[in-house]
Amino acid sequence: MADGAARRLPLKFQIGARTLATIPRRLVCVSFSLDAVLAATPPILPPLPGDADGYLVTSLPATMLAGLDRHGLLAFVRQRYVRYHVDLAAGEAAWLAGLSGSARSGIKRKAKKLAAANGGALDIRRYHDAAAFADFHPLARAVSATTYQEKLLGSGLPDDVASVRHSESLAGEDRLRAWLAFIAGVPVAYLCCTADGKSLCYTYVGHDPAHNELSPGAVLQVEAMRDLFADGRFARFDFTEGEGQHKRQFSTGGTACVDVLLLRPTLGNRATVAALRGFDSAIALAKRAATHPALTKLAKKIRR
């Protein structure tokens, strides 16, 4: 779950995809895999290096929060979410049956629309070994460069030499699956997934926003799931940290999780926690206020 090394990470004051400010801290990252989440494995924090400000524990099952050994550090829950997954062992038929009627009809409608834009048939290509990944990467990078994941979140498909070699290594070990969706021979959506234990992770994903109306990302996700059900290589598909409508829609299960920041109790870190807590509380209050009927009505008038 962690290599024990501290990394310089920005603690973000963020609204949606927009980062307003950051406070840098050197943190040891302890990340729970889906296997560990489902097994409810108690966290064991590695020794804290002398140059580290603390830990960032991600995907900690919420039921374990009270029993977390905080080592005398300041503790602050930065994020709460459900970590969604798909049970691949259940099979495609059971997965489809578990979706809502509107979701199933939406899948058919979107696939038909994307196929029509491509001359009547879907063009989904699979890349599941090291040689195929060499073909996949430059095509997927072209798509990634257009996406909000890369432009706003900095989480596009990496193109540095170390990352590419690591992905090639994973592909050579049968621990990578990748897909591209094409329209008229041009890639418009990509999905690159890496293995973590018995799970295949939703690692890098994106689609060209110029084709939003065709929902290429959603269609590609469904076709990838069908491949994985037929493949039989993995037990689960892991949607990883964070929530989203497509994750809720396509999942077969989920676990309530938290991301916890543990910092040394210095004056500067106390001020940092207070600032983060105040900012997060203000954003939560603003979101609740925005749902008030009067404000919703006002917003609609402004948009007109």
Side-chain angles (χ1 to χ4, degrees):
M1 293 191 295
D3 58 14
R7 291 184 291 158
R8 187 178 176 85
L9 295 175
L11 301 180
K12 298 180 180 180
F13 294 80
Q14 194 169 9
I15 301 177
R18 179 176 296 179
T19 299
L20 304 181
T22 62
I23 298 176
R25 286 292 184 269
R26 290 188 60 79
L27 302 171
V28 174
C29 295
V30 179
S31 180
F32 272 58
S33 68
L34 179 60
D35 291 357
V37 167
L38 296 178
T41 305
I44 299 176
L45 302 181
L48 191 63
D51 65 342
D53 293 296
Y55 302 94
L56 176 61
V57 183
T58 61
S59 278
L60 176 71
T63 55
M64 292 186 177
L65 181 59
L68 178 64
D69 184 355
R70 303 181 182 186
H71 296 277
L73 303 175
L74 300 172
F76 174 54
V77 174
R78 194 73 217 274
Q79 188 175 200
R80 295 179 182 272
Y81 52 88
V82 175
R83 183 158 176 171
Y84 291 103
H85 70 274
V86 176
D87 178 6
L88 297 174
E92 181 182 347
W95 175 65
L96 287 171
L99 301 180
S100 67
S102 61
R104 290 194 297 273
S105 62
I107 287 171
K108 293 179 182 177
R109 182 179 67 256
K110 291 172 183 177
K112 185 176 181 180
K113 193 173 182 180
L114 184 62
N118 193 54
L122 292 177
D123 186 357
I124 307 294
R125 305 181 195 180
R126 289 87 175 163
Y127 306 82
H128 293 174
D129 57 37
F133 181 80
D135 296 328
F136 165 84
H137 188 264
L139 296 171
R141 271 297 311 154
V143 179
S144 182
T146 70
T147 65
Y148 81 90
Q149 286 93 341
E150 179 157 325
K151 292 181 176 180
L152 297 180
L153 303 179
S155 59
L157 183 70
D159 61 353
D160 60 281
V161 174
S163 294
V164 173
R165 286 180 177 172
H166 178 63
S167 294
E168 289 174 342
S169 176
L170 291 176
E173 298 168 2
D174 195 28
R175 296 175 58 207
L176 182 144
R177 297 288 186 271
W179 297 265
L180 281 166
F182 291 78
I183 296 178
V186 177
V188 296
Y190 79 94
L191 178 59
C192 183
C193 302
T194 56
D196 185 2
K198 297 178 181 178
S199 301
L200 188 70
C201 301
Y202 188 67
T203 312
Y204 301 108
V205 59
H207 69 271
D208 187 337
H211 300 283
N212 279 345
E213 75 284 355
L214 297 174
S215 306
V219 175
L220 182 60
Q221 179 71 59
V222 172
E223 293 304 309
M225 295 305 304
R226 286 178 167 143
D227 276 359
L228 293 174
F229 283 118
D231 187 340
R233 164 72 171 81
F234 302 99
R236 291 173 290 273
F237 184 83
D238 177 13
F239 279 112
T240 69
E241 291 91 351
E243 296 198 36
Q245 181 180 354
H246 65 290
K247 295 183 180 184
R248 291 191 295 272
Q249 183 181 64
F250 292 141
S251 68
T252 60
T255 305
C257 291
V258 295
D259 290 351
V260 185
L261 189 62
L262 299 170
L263 295 175
R264 296 186 191 273
T266 65
L267 184 61
N269 285 338
R270 290 182 186 277
T272 294
V273 169
L276 290 170
R277 181 176 287 116
F279 178 81
D280 289 353
S281 296
I283 295 302
L285 180 61
K287 288 180 178 179
R288 288 196 297 271
T291 62
H292 191 281
L295 291 178
T296 302
K297 185 176 182 180
L298 177 61
K300 288 181 179 178
K301 288 182 177 180
I302 292 173
R303 284 196 293 270
R304 294 195 191 106

